[in-house]
Amino acid sequence: MTEEKNIAEEQTKETTDHLDQTEEDQTEKTIEPVFAEDEAEEETLNEDKENELHAANAKIAELEAKLEEADNRYLRLQADFENFRRRSRMDLEAVEKYRAQSLVTDLLPIIDNFERGLKLEVDNEQAKSLLQGMEMVYRSLLDALKKEGVEPIEAVGKEFDPNLHHAVMQVEDENYDSNIVVEEFQKGYMLKDRVIRPSMVKVTQ
Protein backbone atom coordinates (compact mmCIF):
# COMPACT_ATOMS: atom_id res chain seq x y z
CA MET A 1 0.00 0.00 0.00
CA THR A 2 2.81 2.28 0.89
CA GLU A 3 4.55 1.42 -2.36
CA GLU A 4 1.44 2.27 -4.37
CA LYS A 5 1.17 5.53 -2.50
CA ASN A 6 4.77 6.39 -3.34
CA ILE A 7 4.21 5.54 -6.95
CA ALA A 8 1.14 7.77 -7.03
CA GLU A 9 3.05 10.66 -5.43
CA GLU A 10 5.86 10.32 -7.93
CA GLN A 11 3.40 10.34 -10.80
CA THR A 12 1.72 13.40 -9.30
CA LYS A 13 5.06 15.14 -8.93
CA GLU A 14 6.07 14.30 -12.49
CA THR A 15 2.75 15.64 -13.72
CA THR A 16 3.22 18.82 -11.67
CA ASP A 17 6.76 19.29 -12.94
CA HIS A 18 5.60 18.75 -16.48
CA LEU A 19 2.87 21.32 -16.04
CA ASP A 20 5.31 23.79 -14.50
CA GLN A 21 7.74 23.30 -17.38
CA THR A 22 4.94 23.75 -19.88
CA GLU A 23 3.84 26.98 -18.19
CA GLU A 24 7.43 28.29 -18.18
CA ASP A 25 7.80 27.47 -21.88
CA GLN A 26 4.54 29.22 -22.66
CA THR A 27 5.57 32.23 -20.57
CA GLU A 28 8.91 32.44 -22.38
CA LYS A 29 7.15 32.14 -25.72
CA THR A 30 4.80 34.95 -24.67
CA ILE A 31 7.61 37.22 -23.40
CA GLU A 32 9.79 36.86 -26.48
CA PRO A 33 7.20 38.38 -28.91
CA VAL A 34 6.56 41.19 -26.42
CA PHE A 35 10.27 42.04 -26.30
CA ALA A 36 10.44 41.82 -30.09
CA GLU A 37 7.48 44.19 -30.42
CA ASP A 38 9.08 46.62 -27.95
CA GLU A 39 12.35 46.57 -29.85
CA ALA A 40 10.58 47.12 -33.17
CA GLU A 41 8.58 49.98 -31.71
CA GLU A 42 11.75 51.54 -30.28
CA GLU A 43 13.51 51.24 -33.63
CA THR A 44 10.51 52.88 -35.30
CA LEU A 45 10.59 55.72 -32.78
CA ASN A 46 14.33 56.18 -33.33
CA GLU A 47 13.84 56.27 -37.07
CA ASP A 48 11.05 58.81 -36.69
CA LYS A 49 13.25 60.96 -34.47
CA GLU A 50 16.11 60.72 -36.94
CA ASN A 51 13.79 61.68 -39.77
CA GLU A 52 12.42 64.60 -37.80
CA LEU A 53 15.95 65.72 -36.91
CA HIS A 54 17.05 65.45 -40.52
CA ALA A 55 14.03 67.44 -41.67
CA ALA A 56 14.67 70.08 -38.98
CA ASN A 57 18.34 70.38 -39.99
CA ALA A 58 17.33 70.71 -43.63
CA LYS A 59 14.82 73.44 -42.73
CA ILE A 60 17.44 75.25 -40.66
CA ALA A 61 19.93 75.08 -43.54
CA GLU A 62 17.27 76.42 -45.92
CA LEU A 63 16.42 79.31 -43.59
CA GLU A 64 20.09 80.11 -43.06
CA ALA A 65 20.63 80.18 -46.84
CA LYS A 66 17.64 82.52 -47.28
CA LEU A 67 18.90 84.73 -44.45
CA GLU A 68 22.36 84.91 -46.00
CA GLU A 69 20.85 85.76 -49.38
CA ALA A 70 18.72 88.48 -47.79
CA ASP A 71 21.78 89.89 -45.99
CA ASN A 72 23.77 89.93 -49.23
CA ARG A 73 20.91 91.62 -51.06
CA TYR A 74 20.65 94.23 -48.30
CA LEU A 75 24.41 94.88 -48.43
CA ARG A 76 24.28 95.26 -52.22
CA LEU A 77 21.34 97.66 -51.96
CA GLN A 78 23.13 99.63 -49.27
CA ALA A 79 26.30 99.81 -51.41
CA ASP A 80 24.26 100.89 -54.45
CA PHE A 81 22.54 103.57 -52.38
CA GLU A 82 25.86 104.86 -51.04
CA ASN A 83 27.26 104.95 -54.58
CA PHE A 84 24.16 106.82 -55.74
CA ARG A 85 24.53 109.35 -52.93
CA ARG A 86 28.23 109.80 -53.69
CA ARG A 87 27.59 110.26 -57.42
CA SER A 88 24.77 112.71 -56.72
CA ARG A 89 26.97 114.70 -54.35
CA MET A 90 29.82 114.73 -56.88
CA ASP A 91 27.43 115.81 -59.63
CA LEU A 92 26.10 118.64 -57.49
CA GLU A 93 29.64 119.70 -56.59
CA ALA A 94 30.63 119.60 -60.26
CA VAL A 95 27.59 121.68 -61.23
CA GLU A 96 28.48 124.25 -58.59
CA LYS A 97 32.19 124.17 -59.41
CA TYR A 98 31.80 124.49 -63.18
CA ARG A 99 28.58 126.48 -63.29
CA ALA A 100 30.24 129.16 -65.45
CA GLN A 101 31.57 126.71 -68.07
CA SER A 102 28.82 127.32 -70.62
CA LEU A 103 29.15 131.10 -70.32
CA VAL A 104 32.94 130.95 -70.50
CA THR A 105 32.79 128.77 -73.61
CA ASP A 106 30.52 131.33 -75.28
CA LEU A 107 32.79 134.24 -74.25
CA LEU A 108 36.06 132.76 -75.53
CA PRO A 109 35.44 133.63 -79.21
CA ILE A 110 34.70 137.21 -78.10
CA ILE A 111 37.97 137.28 -76.17
CA ASP A 112 39.75 136.01 -79.28
CA ASN A 113 38.23 138.82 -81.37
CA PHE A 114 39.30 141.41 -78.81
CA GLU A 115 42.87 140.06 -78.90
CA ARG A 116 42.99 140.13 -82.68
CA GLY A 117 41.57 143.67 -82.73
CA LEU A 118 44.06 144.89 -80.15
CA LYS A 119 46.95 143.70 -82.32
CA LEU A 120 46.02 146.17 -85.05
CA GLU A 121 48.39 149.07 -85.57
CA VAL A 122 46.73 152.46 -85.97
CA ASP A 123 48.23 155.89 -86.63
CA ASN A 124 45.46 158.32 -85.71
CA GLU A 125 44.24 159.44 -82.34
CA GLN A 126 40.63 158.48 -82.88
CA ALA A 127 41.55 154.88 -83.65
CA LYS A 128 43.95 154.81 -80.70
CA SER A 129 41.18 155.98 -78.40
CA LEU A 130 38.92 153.26 -79.79
CA LEU A 131 41.59 150.64 -79.13
CA GLN A 132 42.05 151.92 -75.58
CA GLY A 133 38.32 151.53 -74.98
CA MET A 134 38.44 148.02 -76.43
CA GLU A 135 41.36 147.14 -74.17
CA MET A 136 39.46 148.34 -71.10
CA VAL A 137 36.51 146.12 -72.01
CA TYR A 138 38.90 143.24 -72.71
CA ARG A 139 40.59 143.63 -69.33
CA SER A 140 37.23 143.78 -67.57
CA LEU A 141 36.16 140.56 -69.25
CA LEU A 142 39.38 138.82 -68.20
CA ASP A 143 38.97 140.04 -64.62
CA ALA A 144 35.38 138.76 -64.49
CA LEU A 145 36.46 135.38 -65.89
CA LYS A 146 39.33 135.18 -63.42
CA LYS A 147 36.91 135.63 -60.52
CA GLU A 148 35.06 132.55 -61.80
CA GLY A 149 38.30 130.57 -61.83
CA VAL A 150 39.24 130.97 -65.50
CA GLU A 151 42.96 131.12 -66.25
CA PRO A 152 44.89 131.11 -69.54
CA ILE A 153 47.06 128.07 -70.23
CA GLU A 154 50.78 128.72 -70.41
CA ALA A 155 52.14 127.51 -73.72
CA VAL A 156 55.17 129.18 -75.36
CA GLY A 157 58.43 127.83 -73.96
CA LYS A 158 56.68 125.00 -72.13
CA GLU A 159 57.01 121.31 -72.87
CA PHE A 160 54.19 120.07 -75.04
CA ASP A 161 51.40 118.52 -72.97
CA PRO A 162 48.64 116.78 -74.97
CA ASN A 163 46.23 117.43 -72.09
CA LEU A 164 46.77 121.20 -72.38
CA HIS A 165 48.02 121.82 -75.90
CA HIS A 166 46.78 121.00 -79.37
CA ALA A 167 49.69 120.80 -81.84
CA VAL A 168 48.79 121.92 -85.35
CA MET A 169 52.35 122.30 -86.66
CA GLN A 170 55.84 120.89 -86.04
CA VAL A 171 59.12 122.65 -86.84
CA GLU A 172 62.83 122.17 -86.39
CA ASP A 173 64.46 124.87 -84.28
CA GLU A 174 67.99 124.64 -82.89
CA ASN A 175 67.17 127.22 -80.25
CA TYR A 176 64.68 124.88 -78.53
CA ASP A 177 64.81 121.32 -77.27
CA SER A 178 62.57 118.70 -78.78
CA ASN A 179 58.84 118.76 -78.00
CA ILE A 180 58.76 122.41 -76.87
CA VAL A 181 55.97 124.84 -77.74
CA VAL A 182 57.51 127.66 -79.80
CA GLU A 183 54.40 129.53 -80.92
CA GLU A 184 50.78 129.87 -79.86
CA PHE A 185 48.12 130.36 -82.53
CA GLN A 186 45.12 130.38 -80.19
CA LYS A 187 45.16 130.83 -76.45
CA GLY A 188 43.83 127.99 -74.30
CA TYR A 189 41.90 128.35 -71.03
CA MET A 190 41.16 126.33 -67.92
CA LEU A 191 38.21 126.62 -65.57
CA LYS A 192 39.71 125.73 -62.21
CA ASP A 193 41.12 122.24 -62.84
CA ARG A 194 39.24 121.56 -66.09
CA VAL A 195 40.51 122.38 -69.57
CA ILE A 196 37.87 124.46 -71.35
CA ARG A 197 39.91 124.83 -74.52
CA PRO A 198 43.45 123.57 -75.23
CA SER A 199 46.03 125.95 -76.66
CA MET A 200 46.57 125.67 -80.42
CA VAL A 201 50.36 125.60 -80.81
CA LYS A 202 53.45 124.95 -82.92
CA VAL A 203 55.87 122.40 -81.47
CA THR A 204 59.50 121.50 -82.16
CA GLN A 205 60.24 118.03 -83.43
Side-chain angles (χ1 to χ4, degrees), residues 158-160 167-183 201-205:
K158 299 295 183 179
E159 184 176 2
F160 175 75
V168 295
M169 188 180 299
Q170 285 187 325
V171 295
E172 292 183 2
D173 193 328
E174 296 179 353
N175 297 322
Y176 292 93
D177 293 333
S178 177
N179 206 38
I180 299 297
V181 176
V182 295
E183 186 177 352
V201 297
K202 180 194 295 184
V203 184
T204 57
Q205 292 182 348

Side-chain angles (χ1 to χ4, degrees), residues 2 7 24 41 45 81 111 126 134 137 148 168 202-203:
T2 302
I7 292 172
E24 289 178 1
E41 184 177 353
L45 290 174
F81 179 68
I111 299 295
Q126 185 176 1
M134 287 178 57
V137 176
E148 291 295 328
V168 295
K202 180 194 295 184
V203 184

Side-chain angles (χ1 to χ4, degrees), residues 5-6 26 42-43 53 58 72 81-82 87 94-95 98 112 166 171 176:
K5 183 178 180 182
N6 290 335
Q26 290 178 347
E42 186 175 355
E43 290 179 359
L53 181 60
N72 292 334
F81 179 68
E82 289 299 327
R87 286 194 301 270
V95 168
Y98 305 113
D112 295 337
H166 175 54
V171 295
Y176 292 93

Side-chain angles (χ1 to χ4, degrees), residues 10-26:
E10 289 179 1
Q11 290 177 345
T12 302
K13 183 177 180 183
E14 289 177 358
T15 302
T16 302
D17 292 340
H18 178 72
L19 291 174
D20 292 340
Q21 184 65 38
T22 301
E23 290 178 357
E24 289 178 1
D25 293 341
Q26 290 178 347

Side-chain angles (χ1 to χ4, degrees), residues 42-56:
E42 186 175 355
E43 290 179 359
T44 302
L45 290 174
N46 290 335
E47 289 179 359
D48 291 342
K49 289 181 179 179
E50 289 179 0
N51 292 335
E52 290 177 0
L53 181 60
H54 179 73

